[in-house]
Amino acid sequence: MRNVLITGASRGIGAATARLFAENGDRVFLNYHRSHQAVQALCAELTAQGCSVFPLQADVSDPQAVQAMFRTLSDHGTDIDVLVNNAGIAQTKLFTDLTDDDWHTMIDTNLSSVFYCCRAALPAMIRRHSGRIINVTSIWGQIGGSCEVHYSAAKAGIIGLTKALAKEEALSGITVNAVAPGVIQTDMLSPYSPEELQVLQSEIPVGTLGTPSDVARAVFFLASPHSSFITGQILSVNGGSV
Ligand code: NAP
């Protein structure tokens, strides 16, 4: 049974990904920050189905909290086989209005968290000469999003990290890839009005918004034996937008 750690697994894409891995027989650790009740409800539901799931609270933007989370895992003799760096926040703001705090919160939560979690998971993966890391970037990290410059910069950083780390770990039996979702129906879209969502949808070639499950299936593939020769790649899940 593989040990899978998914950051930001209380809601949206992370929750759908946790569900998919758990229902396919993996032992899944669901990291979250604040949504205690949501993660408890998801874990109760999956446990009732016979799945092996465990909630793990940690603010992944905090290096000490990440260290403590991995210490908890190793205290229980658990090495992570599959790390999914999914936790993230979004903010829409004019570049000229961004404060230092906006910038640092975005970079810490969306990019530094990936560094902290990879750094903590890799020693055991290298020792066992096996492991999968899947990072969740964004279409805006690929093409840039207006009024989301800090978000786009963090997500572009994930792309660079993914490609470079993949090369460094290639001979260690570890693959490092990313998925780049387009517009996916989660709480992250809550700032948009129905009319704005209609416009976004009309710009997507397949004519629909994506679902969390669409992204989860791409992540699951990148963790499967079917993708063992794929590393350093960015898999777009965006309905044909880019
Ligand atoms: P979401 O529904 O808002 O969920 C965000 C998740 O991240 C929650 O589980 C949240 O935990 C967690 N999180 C946030 N800050 C955290 C922190 N400091 N420490 C630990 N967990 C934290 O968002 P989503 O749409 O599923 O997004 C998931 C990922 O996909 C993000 O990286 C996002 O940038 C990316 N993405 C989303 C879209 C989209 O259209 N939805 C498009 C491209 C990329 P709590 O609930 O505990 O706060």
Side-chain angles (χ1 to χ4, degrees), residues 173-197:
I174 299 159
T175 67
V176 186
N177 291 291
V179 295
V183 186
I184 310 296
Q185 298 172 68
T186 71
D187 295 344
M188 207 169 257
L189 298 190
S190 56
Y192 295 100
S193 68
E195 293 74 31
E196 287 169 327
L197 287 177

Side-chain angles (χ1 to χ4, degrees), residues 6 13 29 66 75 148 195 216:
I6 301 168
I13 291 168
F29 296 89
V66 170
D75 286 350
E148 295 194 75
E195 293 74 31

Side-chain angles (χ1 to χ4, degrees), residues 91 93 97-107 150:
Q91 185 186 39
K93 217 168 174 183
D97 289 343
L98 286 180
T99 64
D100 288 2
D101 192 45
D102 291 333
W103 177 265
H104 290 299
T105 301
M106 184 61 70
I107 298 297
H150 54 343

Side-chain angles (χ1 to χ4, degrees), residues 68-79:
M69 176 169 70
F70 276 85
R71 209 175 308 119
T72 302
L73 289 166
S74 66
D75 286 350
H76 289 85
T78 301
D79 288 334

Side-chain angles (χ1 to χ4, degrees), residues 7-14 31-35 58-61 86-89 109-110 136-139 151 155 181-189:
T7 68
S10 52
R11 300 181 279 123
I13 291 168
N31 160 260
Y32 68 103
H33 186 202
R34 295 199 174 97
S35 299
D59 173 357
V60 293
S61 71
N86 163 78
I89 53 168
T109 307
N110 286 11
V136 180
T137 176
S138 164
I139 188 172
Y151 180 83
K155 292 298 186 180
V183 186
I184 310 296
Q185 298 172 68
T186 71
D187 295 344
M188 207 169 257
L189 298 190

Side-chain angles (χ1 to χ4, degrees), residues 83-86 114 132-139 142 155-163 166 175-181 215 218-223 230-237:
L83 169 64
V84 182
N85 287 306
N86 163 78
V114 180
R132 296 294 173 94
I133 295 175
I134 300 109
N135 300 321
V136 180
T137 176
S138 164
I139 188 172
Q142 296 173 300
K155 292 298 186 180
I158 291 180
I159 293 174
L161 185 156
T162 299
K163 288 172 182 279
T175 67
V176 186
N177 291 291
V179 295
V215 184
V219 173
F220 192 74
F221 165 69
L222 290 171
I230 299 174
T231 195
Q233 303 305 306
I234 314 303
L235 178 54
S236 294
V237 186

